Every structure is written in structure tokens, then in C-alpha cells.
Amino acid sequence: MAAPRGSNTRPAIPADQSLARGLLGEGPAGDDGVMEAESLNGRLLAATPLLGDPNFRRTVVLVVEDDADEGTLGVVLNRPTDVPLDQVLEAWTELVTGPPVVFRGGPVSPNSALALALARAGDEPLGWRSLAGSPMMARVGLVDLEAPPELLAGGITSLRVFAGYAGWGAGQLRAEIAEGAWYVLAGEPADAFIADPARLWPEVLRRQGGDLALIATYPDDPVLN
């Protein structure tokens, strides 16, 4: 299932197309004209100021599955809701990393839940599966919420639960990257469990340095600048 596309609103700031070209590489073109690329598993997608879709505006998405034929699945990391986790998944409350609420993972299947957890070094607890593709993010993995929480309790240090997810059909995400909707960045394990989610978008851009560090200061509403 595909996530909603961005709006046609275009603030007066250029997208960094060099990032898209670096990601897309020099491989053969797909049906949509976008170059084929390596897997995006474990990478961050930071919305550029060009992306006006309210579902994704100023979001940071962690890619958890990326397949050339099946499409891409990710979770928005910086959209907490007001719903306490103990109202929906009480058994997992003691393991969750604050704030102890459900996060809005994306517009697809909002009534479903998935969870991410950070495994202790050297551990692969039962009910946990590492994200493939990025060595830096190898300790972050998906959690089987059907498993008893006590199976993971000793093997993880952080946990976060998301309602819904972001999804793109085959080739759709790479087309959006080429259009300038997303910056593709390396993630750090702590990004998925940041205590103050409102800081995540500017922080991941700022630590890149250069032009992206400047974009981190771009006003939320450019009309008010």
C-alpha cells in the first residue's frame, strides 16, 4: 500500500539533489526512470522542506523493510500521540522508553501496531529481529508483540510502539527522493528512542554539517520568517 504523496506546496528552498543522485547510483533505470539502488533498510528519511504532505511534514522515517519488487515500509519516529501505552498494550508498559505513549508510525493501517527495540550488545533476544542492511543500526530491530514481554526484558534497553506505518509501492519512494521530497541519511540507534521527539528532525540534519545543518534552522512556517 502506498503512503499519500506530498502536496504541491513548494517553499522557496532547493532540494539537495546531490543526495538523491548519490543514493540512486549509476545502475540501470527502472520503469519510472529512477535508477535502481542498494537497499534502504536501516536508513533514515528526513523530510525536506519541499514535502508539504501533513502526514510527513518535518518527519524522520526509519526504513525497516525495502524490497525492489514489494516496496518499502518505514515508521515515522517523531510523531508521539496522546495515547498512553498502558491503554492499549499494558503488558509492554514497563519496557517502553519514555515518553510512555503510542507513536503515530504512519498513515497506513493506523489500527495496527509494531514496535522497535534496541538490543543489548551481543544479544539477540527471542521475539526480536534485527534490521538488515545498516551495520550502524544492527542493534535496532522489530519486536513480535505477540511474544511474552518477559522474553525480551533482559535483552533490550529501549522499546517504542507505533500505530500504523509508512508504505510505498515498488519504485515510489525512489521517485519521491529524486523529486526532492526526502534526504536519505545514516541513522544512529538512539534516533528511534529519542526522549524529545520534537528535536529529532533538526538534530539529524544538524549533525550532517554543511548545507543540511543550515536547513535544520529552516522555519516551520516560512511565511513567518
Side-chain angles (χ1 to χ4, degrees):
M1 298 178 67
R5 298 297 301 272
S7 73
N8 290 325
T9 303
R10 291 291 186 265
I13 185 170
D16 189 340
Q17 293 299 326
S18 66
L19 290 176
R21 288 194 294 270
L23 165 73
L24 298 171
E26 300 297 332
D31 293 340
D32 56 6
V34 177
M35 298 295 182
E36 297 297 333
E38 64 185 37
S39 173
L40 299 178
N41 281 348
R43 304 293 292 275
L44 296 182
L45 306 173
T48 76
L50 302 181
L51 184 51
D53 184 335
N55 289 300
F56 297 110
R57 188 166 175 266
R58 292 205 169 211
T59 59
V60 178
V61 177
L62 174 62
V63 177
V64 298
E65 291 184 9
D66 183 47
D67 183 274
D69 297 321
E70 299 296 327
T72 305
L73 184 153
V75 289
V76 175
L77 298 178
N78 57 334
R79 289 280 180 88
T81 72
D82 295 325
V83 180
L85 184 64
D86 60 10
Q87 288 187 8
V88 291
L89 288 169
E90 184 177 4
W92 293 92
T93 303
E94 291 187 5
L95 298 182
V96 76
T97 303
V101 298
V102 177
F103 277 62
R104 186 173 292 108
V108 183
S109 299
N111 294 322
S112 65
L114 61 82
L116 295 172
L118 182 64
R120 296 184 186 277
D123 279 356
E124 291 192 17
L126 293 174
W128 175 91
R129 175 171 60 87
S130 175
L131 300 183
S134 171
M136 176 68 76
M137 300 293 282
R139 289 174 53 220
V140 179
L142 291 165
V143 170
D144 179 4
L145 291 172
E146 299 293 325
E150 55 267 24
L151 285 180
L152 288 94
I156 65 172
T157 61
S158 303
L159 176 82
R160 187 151 282 170
V161 176
F162 302 86
Y165 61 91
W168 293 266
Q172 184 188 8
L173 176 57
R174 284 167 175 78
E176 292 186 11
I177 293 167
E179 290 169 359
W182 301 100
Y183 300 119
V184 182
L185 307 173
E188 297 179 0
D191 293 336
F193 312 99
I194 189 169
D196 183 0
R199 291 169 39 216
L200 185 60
W201 186 83
E203 281 197 3
V204 297
L205 294 177
R206 191 176 296 118
R207 75 185 183 217
Q208 310 304 316
D211 290 343
L212 289 185
L214 294 176
I215 290 172
T217 67
Y218 193 66
D220 188 42
D221 185 350
V223 175
L224 300 178
N225 188 26

